[in-house]
Amino acid sequence: MELTRRDALAALAGAGILGSGGAAALARERADADGPGRSESGQPNQSRSEQPDLPSTAAVVETLVAVAGVVYPSAVDGVREFVETFARRRLEADPEHRRGAREAVADLDAHVVISFDAERFRDLDPELREEALSLVGTRTAEPARDGTAAERVRYYLVNDLLFALYSSPTGGRLVGIENPQGHSGGIESYRRGPDG
Amino acid sequence: MNGGRGSPDRTPSPRADACVIGSGPAGALVAHRLASRGYNVVVLEAGPRFDPDSRTDRMERAIRPGDARSVWDGGGERDAFSSSGERFYPLNAARVKGVGGSTLHWQGMVMRLHESDFRRASRGEGDADWPVDYDDLRPYYVAAEEALGVAGSDDNPFGPPREEPFPLPPFPPSHSDSLFAPACERLGIAMHSVPNARNSEAYDGRSACVGYGTCQPVCPSGAKYSADVHVRKAEREGARMIDRAPVGRLATGRGGDRVEAAVYATPDGTEHRQEARQFVVACGGVETPRLLLLSENDDHPDGLANGSGLVGRYFMDHLFAGVFGTLDRPTRQNHVGFLTSETHQFYDAPGRAVEGPDGVAVPASDADLAPFKLEFFNYAGPSPVDLALSADEWGDDLLASLRDAYGNHVGVGGLVAQRPRRENRVTLDPSRTDDHGNPVPDIQWSLDARARRTIERANAVQRAILAEMGAEIGGAVGPTDTGPAFHHMGTTRMGTDPDESVVNPRLRTHEVANLTVASSSVFVTGGAMNPTLTIAALALKAADHVAADL
C-alpha cells in the first residue's frame, strides 16, 4: 500500500504542524533540507541555530528513514518520501521536539559505535538495524520524552514514525480503519460498513 | 498594570456589577448573559487561558504515551486533593482548570433531566425533591441547547416533553449501531439518538465535526462545544476575564450578610480584592463548596452560607457500568469519539423485564433500583494507533497484531444514578495545602447497596443485548470495579428550607444576600443523565435572577 503525500500531510496535521504556523515551516523546509550540522562525511558543520555536537536535522530525517525500514510493515511503499515530508516539517516547526530527536539520534549512534563497526545507525546494513534497535532496548522500552536513551529513542524515533503511520489514512487502512484516531477524516466513515 | 512587563492586567476592576468565579459552562454563560444585558462583569478563573492552536498538540499528548505533561496542564500542587472516603475518588482524571473549564475535556453529551428526576422523594426514592420542576427549567433548557449548539433528534420515546426541535440535526447512527439494532428490536429495547454538544454542521462560527476521534479529552477542531466559546462572547459584550487568578476566599462585610470582595491571587503572588455588587460562584461540585468552606469568618464560623452544615454534603456522581465483547464480523469502532445511540428505556423502569425470542432474558425485578441509561459504544476495543505506540514489536509482526486486535469489538456502557447521601461529601483537608497555602478538598465517596444493585442490573441488560447479538462476552465493569463519570453534583443543594439546603430556588444562598451559586453543586438529585445541559440551564436561570437584583 502506497504512502502518499496526503498521508504525510495528515500525519502533520495530527501532530499540530499544519494549520498553525505550518505555512512558514513549509516555506523553510527546502532551505533546511540539506541542513546544517554534521555533513555526510561525518564532519560537523557549524551553525548558529544548531548545536554542532548533535546530529543535524537532515541527519535526523535520514535516521528516521532508516528506522522506518525496521518498524514499518513491508506492505507499505513510498516510505522515504512519506518520512521525509513528515519529519522535515515537524522538526522544523517544533524546536523542542527537534532537539529531543537530535539527542535521540546521538544516543542511538553512540550505541552503534560501541556495538557495531559503524559510526551511525543509518550507516548500518539494513539487516543490522533491527538488531541495533533491540540492543538499545527500544523494542521493550516505555516511551518517554525525558527518559533514558532507550526511552527517548522509542519516543522520538520509533513512536514518531508509528504515530505518523498509524494515524494516517493509509496506515489506518492497513489495519482496517480509514479514519484512525488523530486523523480528521470526516464523519462519514463511521457510518459505513466494512464493504461500504 | 500587574505582573510586570508583558503580563496581562490582573488587577481588580474598579466598578463591577457582578463578579463571576469560574469560567466553565456555568460561569461563562452567566457572564455572557449579564454582559449582554449591559452589566459590568469580571470573571476570575484559577487556570490559564489556553491557545486554541495548541489543541492538536494536546491531542497528540493524549494519544501518545511518554509525555509527562497532562493534556490540559493539570495536576501538581495547584490541583492537589485528598480522598479519604471508602472509595478513592480520582478528582483530577477529567477536570480542567482554565478558561472553558472541564468542557475542554468533556464528552459533550447533553440530555435534559427527566421529569421524574425533580420528584425523586415523592416517588419514594430520596430524601428531597427539587424545589423547581421540569417545567420551570424548560425554557432554560431550550436556551441552553441553543447556546451550546446541540445536535439531536426528537426520537427519544422515554425523554421529557420537548417544544422545539434541536438547533442542529443529529449525527446519524453508526454502522456499529446497526449491528445492535436487530438484537435490541428482538429484545424490545428501543434505541434512539444521542443529543450531542458537537456540531453536526457548522454552527455559531465553529466548524462541523471533522472526526479526529479524540473528543475526550480534546477536540482540535472546536466542533465540540467548550465554554471558552461563551467566555469570548462575554468579552465581546464587555466582560473582563482574568485568568490565573484563583480565589482563596470570599470576604463578607459587617454582619456577614453580603460578600464585599473575592480575594484572589495572581501569578506573581500578589493578593487582590475584586469588589462587586453581586457574586456568582461557578466552580463545579468540588471547588464551589471548597471556596465556601475556605471563606469561614466570625460571622460564618463553619464556612460561608453554611448555617445548615450542608455545604459539601450530598456529593454525588454517576457510576459507569459496561459489558464488552467481540463479534465474528467487523464492527468499525474508533472512527469517531462520540456516541450516536443510547436507550433511556430503563430510566424510569429499571426493573422492567427484558424478553427475547427465546424467552425472558432478564426477569423483572421489584427491588429498589436507581435510574440508569445505556449507551451503544462507537469506540469499543482498542484504537490501532494506541496499540502500536505501546507494542513491543514492530514491522510486519506489529501489523499482524494490530489486525488481530482491532475490528470486531462491541460494547454497551451506561450511567447509573447515585442517591444523595449525607456521608458523601467534600470537606477541607487541613493537613495538606495547595500552591497558595489553602487546604485542599477532601472527597469522601462511597456507594450504597442500591447503586451496586443497579449496576448489576445494568450489566444484566447489557449482557442480554450482547448475547442476542451473538457476541462473545469479553469483560464487564460492574459494582466492584465501577468508577465515576466525573459529574460532580450536589454539594450546595437547592431547597426552600434554610436548614435543609444551601441555596434557594433562585440559586441564591439562604444566608448571604448577594451570593449566587451556578453549578451542578445545587443539584438535589443527579439522575443518570450527563449533567452539563442542566448546569447550563440553571446558569441561565441564575443569571436572570442576578440581573433582576442588579
Side-chain angles (χ1 to χ4, degrees), chain B residues 160-184:
Chain B
R162 299 180 53 82
E163 52 295 291
E164 294 179 28
F166 287 93
L168 288 166
F171 287 92
S174 63
H175 173 71
S176 179
D177 293 334
S178 75
L179 302 175
F180 284 104
C184 284

Side-chain angles (χ1 to χ4, degrees), chain B residues 15-340:
Chain B
R15 279 185 304 279
D17 295 316
C19 173
V20 178
I21 301 153
S23 68
L29 288 167
V30 168
H32 175 245
R33 183 161 275 210
L34 292 176
S36 65
R37 291 179 184 178
Y39 295 109
N40 190 333
V41 178
V42 177
V43 183
L44 299 172
E45 165 56 51
R49 187 193 296 266
F50 298 106
D51 179 0
D53 285 344
S54 72
R55 289 186 178 188
T56 318
D57 178 56
R58 296 179 191 280
M59 176 182 72
E60 185 179 342
R61 281 191 216 174
I63 294 174
R64 289 186 61 164
D67 191 333
R69 299 171 296 177
S70 79
V71 173
W72 291 105
D73 306 335
E77 201 180 1
R78 184 196 69 181
D79 297 341
F81 69 98
S82 296
S83 177
S84 66
E86 185 181 297
R87 293 178 78 103
F88 176 75
Y89 193 88
L91 179 62
N92 286 338
R95 71 169 176 165
V96 179
K97 284 188 182 173
V99 175
S102 296
T103 52
L104 295 165
H105 183 291
W106 71 325
Q107 179 68 13
M109 297 169 71
V110 274
M111 300 78 169
R112 301 180 182 191
L113 286 174
H114 285 208
E115 292 166 291
S116 57
D117 287 319
F118 299 89
R119 292 285 173 268
R120 290 288 164 203
S122 299
R123 295 165 57 98
E125 299 177 44
D127 70 314
D129 290 337
W130 287 50
V132 297
D133 60 22
Y134 178 73
D135 283 340
D136 294 321
L137 282 193
R138 218 164 144 170
Y140 293 108
Y141 273 132
V142 175
E145 287 170 349
E146 184 180 343
L148 273 57
V150 178
S153 172
D154 191 7
D155 65 349
N156 179 354
F158 315 104
R162 299 180 53 82
E163 52 295 291
E164 294 179 28
F166 287 93
L168 288 166
F171 287 92
S174 63
H175 173 71
S176 179
D177 293 334
S178 75
L179 302 175
F180 284 104
C184 284
E185 188 172 347
R186 289 194 296 275
L187 293 172
I189 295 173
M191 298 170 69
H192 51 80
S193 64
V194 176
N196 275 290
R198 177 178 288 99
N199 289 355
S200 57
E201 56 189 39
Y203 183 79
D204 199 22
R206 294 179 289 119
S207 82
C209 173
V210 294
Y212 274 108
T214 58
C215 309
Q216 193 176 39
V218 55
C219 171
S221 74
K224 180 184 79 173
Y225 175 83
S226 51
D228 53 308
V229 167
H230 276 89
V231 171
R232 287 191 292 273
K233 285 175 183 282
E235 288 179 299
R236 286 197 290 274
E237 297 287 351
R240 182 163 172 242
M241 174 78 229
I242 304 178
D243 73 342
R244 302 177 69 192
V247 175
R249 63 192 165 89
L250 299 171
T252 53
R254 185 174 301 171
D257 61 346
R258 293 186 70 82
V259 176
E260 282 193 340
V263 182
Y264 66 96
T266 48
D268 63 1
T270 307
E271 189 173 277
H272 297 279
R273 290 168 57 90
Q274 176 62 60
E275 298 181 353
R277 295 161 60 199
Q278 295 284 334
F279 291 81
V280 179
V281 179
C283 305
V286 173
E287 295 293 345
T288 291
R290 180 187 180 212
L291 177 57
L292 297 184
L293 294 172
L294 286 172
S295 302
E296 66 175 14
N297 58 36
D298 289 344
D299 293 311
H300 299 274
D302 297 320
L304 199 57
N306 195 23
S308 64
L310 295 182
V311 169
R313 288 199 181 272
Y314 298 111
F315 176 73
M316 297 173 284
D317 206 317
H318 297 136
L319 304 159
F320 181 78
V323 176
F324 306 92
T326 52
L327 293 178
D328 59 358
R329 52 197 184 279
T331 59
R332 308 277 291 164
Q333 303 295 304
N334 286 300
H335 287 248
V336 291
F338 58 88
L339 301 174
T340 42

Side-chain angles (χ1 to χ4, degrees), chain A residues 13-17 19-20 70-75 90 94 96-97 130 133-134 138-140 143-146 154-156 158-160 162-163 166-167 174-187 189-194, chain B residues 53 56-57 59-60 63-69 171-177 199-200 208-214 330 332-336 338 340 378 383-399 402-403 406:
Chain A
I17 306 305
S20 58
V70 176
V71 303
Y72 278 7
S74 56
R90 165 150 214 178
D94 187 343
E96 193 179 345
H97 195 87
E130 179 166 9
L133 283 175
S134 295
T138 305
R139 187 193 290 269
T140 54
R145 287 174 89 238
D146 304 310
R154 172 77 195 211
Y155 183 88
Y156 284 105
V158 174
N159 272 13
D160 246 27
L162 293 177
F163 178 66
Y166 287 110
S167 65
L174 284 172
V175 188
I177 177 171
E178 63 271 32
N179 183 28
Q181 246 189 352
H183 173 54
S184 54
I187 51 172
S189 72
Y190 83 91
R191 299 163 57 187
R192 287 197 295 266
Chain B
D53 285 344
T56 318
D57 178 56
M59 176 182 72
E60 185 179 342
I63 294 174
R64 289 186 61 164
D67 191 333
R69 299 171 296 177
F171 287 92
S174 63
H175 173 71
S176 179
D177 293 334
N199 289 355
S200 57
C209 173
V210 294
Y212 274 108
T214 58
R332 308 277 291 164
Q333 303 295 304
N334 286 300
H335 287 248
V336 291
F338 58 88
T340 42
N378 288 330
S383 157
V385 66
D386 276 347
L387 285 179
L389 296 171
S390 301
D392 57 3
E393 56 191 352
W394 45 48
D396 290 344
D397 292 341
L398 172 59
L399 177 57
L402 297 180
R403 285 173 169 166
Y406 170 76

